[in-house]
């Protein structure tokens, strides 16, 4: 399987990455913001649609800032990454799933990190910087 995966990786090309959804909410209670908040971060990467020689993947990012059970801020973003691969619909699904788990995050993570940092600044908050994505 490892050789098949390496061969597949050689033939995949990234066609496009775009922001498909974005929702931001921030409290107007300045006193709550000054007291500090707990930040919860979640992400999800999944395979979308296989279409002939192309396939889409979805990357979702969710940030919530909470203080004493009150939601102070929330950012929800979704990116779609489109890849080209000859006969993608005929490739073993296990190989595609491995790609989604390993390679998709490496391609999309910088977009999510930049968006979250920029949006927190635009919301009048200090920039929230996500760490690098690491596969261990």
């Amino acid at each position: 399987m490892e050789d098949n995966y390496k061969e597949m990786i050689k033939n995949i090309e990234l066609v496009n990455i775009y922001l498909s959804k974005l929702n931001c909410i921030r409290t107007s209670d300045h006193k709550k913001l000054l007291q500090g908040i707990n930040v919860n971060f979640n992400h999800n990467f999944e395979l979308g649609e296989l279409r002939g020689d192309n396939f889409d993947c979805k990357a979702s990012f969710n940030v919530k800032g909470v203080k004493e059970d009150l939601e102070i801020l929330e950012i929800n973003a979704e990116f779609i990454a489109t890849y080209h691969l000859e006969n993608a619909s005929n490739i073993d699904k296990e190989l595609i799933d491995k790609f989604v788990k390993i390679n998709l995050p490496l391609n999309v993570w910088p977009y999510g990190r930049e968006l979250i940092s920029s949006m927190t600044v635009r919301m009048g908050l200090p920039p929230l910087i996500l760490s690098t994505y690491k596969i261990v």
Side-chain angles (χ1 to χ4, degrees):
M1 180 168 135
E2 195 62 34
D3 288 341
N4 290 342
Y5 184 72
K6 287 179 183 178
E7 189 61 31
M8 183 186 78
I9 292 299
K10 289 179 189 176
N11 294 307
I12 287 182
E13 293 296 330
L14 177 62
V15 176
N16 195 10
I17 296 177
Y18 62 90
L19 179 65
S20 61
K21 293 182 184 176
L22 177 63
N23 185 41
C24 301
I25 301 169
R26 176 193 180 254
T27 184
S28 58
D29 187 345
H30 297 290
K31 291 177 185 172
K32 294 277 187 219
L33 291 172
L34 295 174
Q35 297 171 357
I37 58 175
N38 295 317
V39 176
N40 299 313
F41 173 69
N42 294 299
H43 56 82
N44 186 50
F45 304 106
E46 61 188 63
L47 177 63
E49 182 182 1
L50 289 166
R51 298 177 321 281
D53 290 345
N54 292 314
F55 64 96
D56 291 335
C57 297
K58 181 170 69 170
S60 303
F61 298 88
N62 175 266
V63 175
K64 285 188 181 183
V66 180
K67 177 71 176 181
E68 299 168 1
D69 295 330
L70 275 155
E71 195 170 287
I72 305 298
L73 76 101
E74 183 171 8
I75 301 171
N76 291 300
E78 180 180 287
F79 290 90
I80 302 295
T82 301
Y83 296 91
H84 177 80
L85 175 64
E86 292 293 325
N87 298 312
S89 55
N90 295 330
I91 300 292
D92 184 356
K93 177 120 170 31
E94 232 178 274
L95 296 174
I96 300 283
D97 289 342
K98 184 175 180 177
F99 177 85
V100 170
K101 181 180 178 183
I102 296 171
N103 293 80
L104 174 65
L106 296 174
N107 294 157
V108 179
W109 193 264
Y111 291 82
R113 182 172 50 196
E114 187 282 328
L115 179 111
I116 289 168
S117 177
S118 294
M119 293 313 297
T120 52
V121 170
R122 289 173 186 238
M123 295 167 86
L125 303 169
L128 178 59
I129 309 293
L130 298 182
S131 63
T132 55
Y133 189 84
K134 298 175 181 142
I135 299 172
V136 182

